[in-house]
Amino acid sequence: MTAQFVPTAVLRAARENAGLTQSSLAPRLNVTPSVVSRMEKDELTDRAVAWRYLDAVSSSDSEAIKEFYDRPWMASERPSFLHPDKDILWLIERHMQALDAFESKADFDTILAKPVQALRSRLVDTAHYLLRTDHTVAWVGQIGLGKTTALSHATGLTQASERGRESIFPTGSGRTTLCEVMIKTAPAFGLSVECVPPDEVRALVADLVHGLAKREAGVTTEVDRVLRAMAGIHRETVVENGKKRLVDPIRRMLDNGDTPEEIVNRLVAAMNLEARVGNTMILSENKAQGLDWLSTNVTKINSGQHPDFGMASRITVLLPSKVLRKSPYDISVLDTKGIEGTTQRPDLRLLIDEKSTLTVLCSRFNDAPGEKAIALLKEIQDTRSDAVERGRICVVVLPWLDEAM
C-alpha cells in the first residue's frame, strides 16, 4: 500500500538540498516561517501536507520522494527515502510480492511450498539486515601492535603534533589501552565511562600486593599501572653510591614488616573511591578544541589519573557526526582490549558472531597474518561460524618503523 505519512526528516532534507530556508519556503506555502518550523519538528507528516510541502520545494528530490512513497509496499517494511539501501530493499520487496503472487495461483503445486518459504525467509532476513544502518567496526589485535593508531587514522581521529598526525587516544610505550573504547556519534563531544566496582578494585589491589609479597606478578602490567596511579604510589628512582635504581614503595612497606592486608587498606584509602563516582562528561559541540579535550580526558581516565573516575572497564567516546569520516550509515568504531595470551575470549566471540559487526584483525608486518589472527580464524572455522563466508572478517597488516622496507 502507498504511504499515508512521510518522515519529516525526508521533507527537511529535500528543502535543504534545494537550497531553501524555512523563511524562503514559507511564502510558497502561504504560511509564516514559524508554521514551517513547527511542522518540521514533528516526526511524521500527513501525506496531503507532505505533498503540498514537496510541491512548494519543487525539485528533482521532491518528485523522487513522492514516487518512492507512492510505491505499493506490502510484503516488507518500507525504509525511509534517506536510507542508503532503499533501492535494494525495494528490489527485495518486489521479489517477495512476486513470490506471494506465485504462491496464490490456482495451479500452484504444494510441492513447491517448502522451497518458496525458504526463499522468502532468506529475503526477509536480508531485508531485516539491510534495514539496520547501525554497524560496528571492531579492531582486534595484540597489545602494542599499533591498532589504536591505525583505527585513529582510518577514522580521522587524529590531531597535529610535532611528529605529524597522531591519534587522539593514548598510544605508544606505557600507554596501552586498559579497557575497550567505543566511538559513537552524538550531538556533542562527550565521554561515558563504565567503571570496575569498588569491591573488585580492592580485590585487584590485594592481588597486586600479595603478588609482590610472593615476588611474582599478581596483576597485568596495565592494571598495575592504573592501580598505582589511582593510589598515588609510584615506583621511584633513587641514587645510591652514584648509581640509579628503581624503588617500589609497596615493596618497601613489605620489607618494613607491614602485612599485605595493612598495605591493601592503605592503598584503597588513598584511592578515595568514594569520590570516584563520575560516569559522564559532556562538552558543547561549539566549543573549540573538542578533540584535544577528548584526548586529555581519555588519557587521564585510561591511566587512572582522573580524580572523578574509578578504574574504567569501558569508555564510550561521543563525537559530533561531522568529526567522524562521512558515511550514510551509523558507524561505531570499537577499539578492543589488546589480546594478551589466549584468543578464546567471550567478548571477541560475540563481536565475530554479530551480523552487523566487521571485525578487523590486526597483525605485524614481519609475521603477517600473525599468530593471534591465525588462532582466531581457526576458531571461527572450527565452530562453523559464517563470519568469513559473509565477509565480516578482514586482516589488516600494520608495518612498524622500517619493517616494510
Side-chain angles (χ1 to χ4, degrees), residues 113-219:
K114 195 168 182 177
V116 166
Q117 183 53 41
L119 181 55
R120 181 182 289 109
S121 295
R122 287 179 62 187
L123 289 171
V124 168
D125 288 346
T126 302
H128 284 167
Y129 174 77
L130 289 177
L131 274 169
R132 292 184 59 174
T133 56
D134 59 309
H135 298 278
T136 299
V137 181
W139 293 67
V140 176
Q142 291 172 253
I143 288 176
L145 200 65
K147 66 180 173 61
T148 298
T149 298
L151 75 85
S152 297
H153 282 275
T155 55
L157 294 177
T158 61
Q159 55 189 354
S161 74
E162 294 178 355
R163 293 174 290 184
R165 304 298 301 181
E166 291 193 344
S167 170
I168 69 167
F169 303 113
T171 59
S173 178
R175 305 179 72 191
T176 302
T177 305
L178 172 72
C179 61
E180 70 176 26
V181 176
M182 175 68 85
I183 304 163
K184 290 178 172 286
T185 57
F189 290 102
L191 292 170
S192 176
V193 185
E194 297 174 30
C195 291
V196 177
D199 57 337
E200 292 184 24
V201 173
R202 183 184 180 87
L204 288 170
V205 173
D207 290 342
L208 167 64
V209 174
H210 284 283
L212 287 172
K214 298 175 183 176
R215 299 190 179 278
E216 57 187 37
V219 295

Side-chain angles (χ1 to χ4, degrees), residues 21-41:
T21 64
Q22 291 178 342
S23 297
S24 60
L25 179 64
R28 299 187 184 188
L29 291 167
N30 294 320
V31 299
T32 63
S34 61
V35 172
V36 179
S37 176
R38 284 198 301 273
M39 190 205 83
E40 289 190 357
K41 288 178 181 176

Side-chain angles (χ1 to χ4, degrees), residues 2 9 19-20 51 57 78 89 125 150 231 242 258 263 268 324 340 361-362 378 386 391:
T2 57
L20 296 171
W51 257 234
V57 170
R78 184 195 304 268
L89 287 163
D125 288 346
D258 293 339
I263 299 172
V268 172
L324 281 172
E340 187 175 28
L361 303 181
C362 299
K378 188 174 188 312
D386 66 347

Side-chain angles (χ1 to χ4, degrees), residues 1-7 47-48 50-51 54-55 62-74 78-79 81 90 93 97:
M1 58 183 294
T2 57
Q4 298 306 306
F5 295 92
V6 176
R47 178 189 176 90
W51 257 234
L54 290 168
D55 288 340
S62 299
E63 296 307 312
I65 291 168
K66 289 197 291 185
E67 187 277 329
F68 180 78
Y69 286 99
D70 267 339
R71 292 176 185 175
W73 220 286
M74 297 179 291
R78 184 195 304 268
F81 179 80
W90 171 238
E93 167 68 20
Q97 289 185 22

Side-chain angles (χ1 to χ4, degrees), residues 218-273:
V219 295
T220 64
T221 303
E222 292 72 38
V223 172
D224 179 294
R225 170 176 53 84
V226 172
L227 293 177
R228 290 177 183 274
M230 291 172 67
I233 304 293
H234 302 282
R235 295 181 178 88
E236 306 161 354
T237 300
V238 298
V239 178
E240 292 180 352
N241 300 323
K243 294 183 179 180
K244 293 182 180 179
R245 70 184 184 91
L246 206 59
V247 175
D248 184 347
I250 301 177
R251 179 76 258 162
R252 184 191 296 153
M253 293 180 211
L254 289 166
D255 292 342
N256 289 340
D258 293 339
T259 67
E261 191 59 32
E262 289 173 339
I263 299 172
V264 169
N265 290 337
R266 199 173 303 157
L267 295 183
V268 172
M271 289 178 171
N272 196 18
L273 296 176

